[in-house]
Amino acid sequence: MAYPVPEITSRYSIRDYILTLDPVKDHQQICYLSSCYDFPWDFTRALEFALFRTFGVAKGTPLLQQTGEFIRRTRKRYDDTVLILGEILENGYDSPRGKAALRRMNQQHARYSIGNDEYLYTLSTFVLEPIRWMERFGWRPYTNHEKTAAFTYWLEMGKRMNIRDLPNTLEEMERFNVQFEREHFRYTPSNEAIATPTRDLLLSMYLPRWLWPVGKPFVYALIDEPLLRAVGFPNPPAWLRRVVEGGLRLKARIQRLWAPRKRPYLFTAARYPSYPGGYQIEQLGADRG
């Protein structure tokens, strides 16, 4: 889908244009502009940590461990997730490619017995973690238009995934998210078994293997204590948290001075190790080794 894009003359052109749109009616366009122009790096990091939060849910990780997808095929599972969500974000969930990606995602989920509350919790992290990340580390926070658009976008995604009991407001979704974590975050060996290879995959994107021991505490510094306990990771020293968070805030201040992005970052056009020769939507998922 070719979304209209304004003339980009300043760092805030996309934000200012978004503010002229209707956050409900134009929610797909707003999410596309925000994620692919203003926040591609931060949006990706936020969704990585959103997915990571699901590993603290003790009742859900035994199934994830049993499938082996997050342990034996961690990189492919990551690539498949990014590509499926990228297809939907870039093309629209009612476009031919968006429908095909949604169908493929629903086919994969249908193979397993997953509770509605677990689906709803995962959906809530995809709404809330980008909002929280931009508040802490984005070069600007999300506007209220972007927050409303993100909630509406994932609400529509939830309907197309047949998730029940969807919240009516962003505030209701946040209450559910916080209460769910309070009730279901607790340590189990399966949590740690799933979280460890994903942590190592994230480290591998930035560091050679021999530097992973140095990098691990920096990853832990971005994770809150309840989730660290739930996945069996150590709590880093307070000074390291301050250093890591300060570094990301410094990055954000510098980023405000950068020239604006005039072409979108397309997640589907990036290079993915699992698909060196390109991919078809029908390939995405757990079927191929």
Side-chain angles (χ1 to χ4, degrees), residues 104-234:
R104 187 61 179 154
M105 179 170 64
N106 286 335
Q107 286 171 347
Q108 297 303 305
H109 289 160
R111 299 167 60 183
Y112 309 110
S113 178
I114 302 172
N116 185 74
D117 61 341
E118 294 173 69
Y119 279 124
L120 184 53
Y121 171 69
T122 302
L123 192 78
S124 75
T125 67
F126 279 26
V127 175
L128 296 168
E129 289 308 306
I131 293 172
R132 293 164 177 167
W133 181 279
M134 302 315 166
E135 290 286 345
R136 298 173 67 197
F137 306 127
W139 66 269
R140 65 170 178 83
Y142 272 171
T143 63
N144 286 334
H145 272 49
E146 286 166 307
K147 294 177 184 178
T148 300
F151 173 75
T152 306
Y153 178 90
W154 288 104
L155 196 68
E156 291 298 321
M157 287 279 283
K159 293 175 183 176
R160 288 160 174 78
M161 295 171 65
N162 298 312
I163 299 175
R164 304 182 307 279
D165 304 321
L166 291 163
N168 295 311
T169 65
L170 181 61
E171 293 73 23
E172 185 181 335
M173 176 172 279
E174 185 158 25
R175 286 194 295 271
F176 165 80
N177 174 272
V178 171
Q179 184 62 31
F180 188 89
E181 290 187 355
R182 187 176 294 127
E183 293 177 1
H184 296 286
F185 269 18
R186 70 176 188 277
Y187 174 78
T188 66
S190 58
N191 290 5
E192 188 171 4
I194 296 300
T196 298
T198 302
R199 176 205 63 196
D200 292 346
L201 172 63
L202 298 180
L203 287 168
S204 73
M205 296 178 183
Y206 301 97
L207 299 172
R209 191 181 186 93
W210 62 273
L211 278 178
W212 290 3
V214 177
K216 288 176 186 177
F218 288 84
V219 175
Y220 303 152
L222 290 171
I223 302 173
D224 57 277
E225 291 186 30
L227 181 56
L228 286 173
R229 288 194 299 270
V231 298
F233 290 170

Side-chain angles (χ1 to χ4, degrees), residues 21 82 254:
L21 301 174
V82 173
I254 295 171

